[in-house]
Amino acid sequence: MMNPIPSSMYNVALILLFSFLLGMSSAKLSEDFYEKSCPKALFIIKSGVRSAVRAEPRMGASLLRLHFHDCFVNGCDASVLLDDTPTFTGEKTAGPNIGSIRGFDVIDDIKTQIEKYCPGVVSCADILAVAGRDSTVALDGPSWKVLLGRRDSTTASFSDANRDLPAPNSNLNQLISAYSNKGFSVREMVALSGSHTIGQARCVNFRDRIYNDTNINAPFARSLQANCPRSQGDDNLAPLDVTTPTSFDNKYFKNLQSQKGLLHSDQVLFNGGSTDSIVNIYSSNPSTFASDFANAMVKMSTLSPLTGSNGQIRKNCRKIN
């Protein structure tokens, strides 16, 4: 006959099991994560985003890009927001980020407002995720449910940012590989690339294409060369979507069909390859693109989040506590 388990050991086992289950539940993202702890958080973020986009429509694309560049490097943990220090090099000066990502002041302003209302509760990573969604909506794009409960990293990776973020001169295989490494299908990669229906790019990122690529509309190339000479004007800007640059729609894909993709990495999506058919679908069916984009964004925004007791809730998004 087996000896009975002492009640004290049984109670300890129950406590451990409860703690384990509590830890599991706390590690889950949820749409209503701040419903009790900071019920005005989503309103504050939305108001801040709308105000910034009204003042400068380009900011909508910048905030969406900031969220993407955060999540693609070691997950959605606000590591992209950390400033360099004398003893720390963050991600802001990595090749794909320097001169490209912006909107930090908008996130700072939102964080300041939230800290006044509920200090130490809402993470910078969650602010980025919600701002990415609200920016898209502010420019007439689709909405999606943002799951919340991320925490902020206490470190960042300059080398991973250089390695993981797709470059503007990427070929199709490189794009497919970069997205596949993060768990995305080819179709999801094309859908997420459709975010280039808003925003602008610097001359340095499309100069080689407009002077050397052959799969480019000639009048389109000449119109860009006027503002992007061969040897200067690196920071001169051009819209990623020449048709409707401040409206989130499917014109980006129509532009690709006319060989008017601004970046080399845009046009390779429609260049006689495996993704041509997906571009054709999105070009003809704006609602399909909107739905696929929203679903892919939900997936992207949940890449390797820090939850539970991992990371921290930064008081200032630019530095660790």
Side-chain angles (χ1 to χ4, degrees), residues 92-162:
K92 289 183 176 180
T93 55
N97 287 334
I98 190 167
S100 172
I101 54 173
R102 57 196 292 273
F104 302 108
D105 291 344
V106 176
I107 300 300
D108 289 342
D109 290 344
I110 292 172
K111 178 65 171 174
T112 298
Q113 291 302 313
I114 289 180
E115 285 295 305
K116 289 178 181 177
Y117 178 65
C118 44
V121 173
V122 181
S123 68
C124 301
D126 276 347
I127 292 174
L128 279 179
V130 177
R133 188 269 310 276
D134 290 351
S135 294
T136 303
V137 173
L139 294 175
D140 304 319
S143 184
W144 57 88
K145 292 182 178 180
V146 178
L147 300 178
L148 303 166
R150 299 166 193 78
R151 289 169 65 85
D152 301 323
S153 68
T154 56
T155 186
S157 179
F158 177 86
S159 59
D160 288 349
N162 278 317

Side-chain angles (χ1 to χ4, degrees), residues 35-86:
E35 185 174 347
K36 293 182 179 179
S37 61
C38 193
K40 291 185 179 180
L42 296 184
F43 174 78
I44 294 172
I45 297 171
K46 182 178 180 179
S47 297
V49 168
R50 287 191 172 275
S51 177
V53 173
R54 278 197 301 268
E56 182 193 6
R58 180 191 173 201
M59 186 55 69
S62 298
L63 293 173
L64 179 59
R65 180 181 297 163
L66 200 55
H67 176 42
F68 174 85
H69 281 229
D70 178 40
C71 293
F72 237 65
V73 182
N74 298 322
C76 307
D77 59 3
S79 59
V80 73
L81 300 179
L82 289 172
D83 284 342
D84 290 357
T85 72

Side-chain angles (χ1 to χ4, degrees), residues 297-318:
M297 285 299 300
V298 171
K299 182 174 179 177
M300 191 195 74
S301 69
T302 56
L303 287 176
S304 304
L306 297 173
T307 57
S309 59
N310 295 316
Q312 62 180 213
I313 306 298
R314 286 189 222 136
K315 298 175 183 178
N316 181 331
C317 291
R318 294 175 180 262

